[in-house]
Amino acid sequence: MTTSIDLSQVTLRELNKRLHETDEGRFVVRNPRGAHALAVGITTPVTVDVEGSVGYFCAGMNMTGTVRVDGNAGTGLAENIMSGLVRITGNATMSAGATGHGGLVVIEGNAGARCGISMKGVDIVVGGNVGHMSAFMAQAGNLVVLGDADHDLGDSIYEAEVFVRGKVASLGSDCVEKEMTPQHLDTLSRLLEAAALPAGTMSAGTMSAEPGDFRLYGSARELYNFHVDDVDAAAAAKGKP
């Protein structure tokens, strides 16, 4: 069942309330007019198609829902996403996918500064470029960039991994280029396939790329307070009287 909602006639609060109370189905949202916090906190497998650009924190805290935006998004797209899918056809400004724990975020255009900041397991695929300090303090998950990355990529990164097809302006503290293993290639292939659009659609081919065209970046682990080489020494010290 498809329900059409016009935000020039219905309040945003009313829309979000209906999404929270619905267990399934598809909603088409018209005239979003840059509304903030649209489709936040979804906890059911509902599908939301937004016809137009949105403001801050669209699809924040998403869990199991599918949110598609035909337009651009403001700061904090899919912030703290837990699972499900969030896709936009345009550009996202700062902090897309921030602190995300799971799910997939697909940005067909460019993403601004701090894309994937403090990500904790989310997968983010960007069809264009990412701004400075993307993947800052990223703890887990994957950031895939088909375009270029601006300065300080992966600054203070933990165990997340960043795949970039284009140029990297500079790497942040403790972020280094790493060898791409067969496992990394499999992960990248899976993410590119998941982000791809069906053939025949208007944006088909947006995410088309060969995994071998990418470079991998991750943590050098030099900022850690704990080093695995110290395990034996610590155990020996504990055993001393």
Side-chain angles (χ1 to χ4, degrees):
M1 177 180 175
T2 299
T3 302
S4 179
I5 294 183
D6 189 336
L7 281 185
S8 67
Q9 306 295 323
V10 175
T11 67
L12 179 65
R13 182 183 292 272
E14 209 174 323
L15 166 63
N16 283 338
K17 184 173 184 291
R18 292 190 63 177
L19 295 178
H20 295 164
E21 294 173 346
T22 302
D23 291 332
E24 59 183 13
R26 174 174 177 258
F27 286 78
V28 176
V29 180
R30 297 186 169 88
N31 294 311
R33 299 175 296 176
H36 303 315
L38 194 157
V40 296
I42 295 175
T43 59
T44 59
V46 66
T47 296
V48 183
D49 290 319
V50 184
E51 297 181 349
S53 296
V54 294
Y56 299 165
F57 306 120
C58 177
M61 299 178 291
N62 185 61
M63 185 181 293
T64 73
T66 296
V67 180
R68 295 184 289 248
V69 177
D70 187 9
N72 302 313
T75 299
L77 172 73
E79 183 193 34
N80 205 36
I81 180 175
M82 297 295 177
S83 60
L85 169 67
V86 176
R87 174 191 288 273
I88 68 168
T89 62
N91 303 316
T93 57
M94 293 177 58
S95 304
T99 73
H101 287 253
L104 175 64
V105 178
V106 181
I107 300 165
E108 295 184 25
N110 301 314
R114 298 178 178 83
C115 178
I117 181 174
S118 195
M119 52 195 280
K120 298 175 173 65
V122 65
D123 292 320
I124 304 173
V125 182
V126 180
N129 308 320
V130 293
H132 68 274
M133 294 192 79
S134 287
F136 172 57
M137 293 188 69
Q139 297 163 38
N142 300 281
L143 172 61
V144 180
V145 182
L146 278 75
D148 300 330
D150 207 344
H151 290 283
D152 297 322
L153 177 70
D155 189 85
S156 304
I157 192 171
Y158 287 83
E159 294 303 305
E161 293 176 318
V162 182
F163 302 87
V164 182
R165 185 172 63 166
K167 298 176 182 177
V168 175
S170 68
L171 297 176
S173 298
D174 208 42
C175 186
V176 295
E177 184 174 351
K178 294 194 166 186
E179 180 183 357
M180 187 93 78
T181 67
Q183 183 177 355
H184 291 125
L185 290 171
D186 288 345
T187 297
L188 184 52
S189 296
R190 172 180 59 81
L191 291 174
L192 290 171
E193 183 177 353
L197 288 165
T201 59
M202 185 176 297
S203 300
T206 300
M207 298 296 170
S208 60
E210 293 297 324
D213 295 339
F214 289 78
R215 291 184 173 184
L216 170 65
Y217 302 91
S219 175
R221 301 178 179 175
E222 293 297 325
L223 294 181
Y224 283 16
N225 292 320
F226 173 80
H227 291 273
V228 69
D229 295 339
D230 296 334
V231 171
D232 293 337
K238 265 190 174 181
K240 288 182 178 179

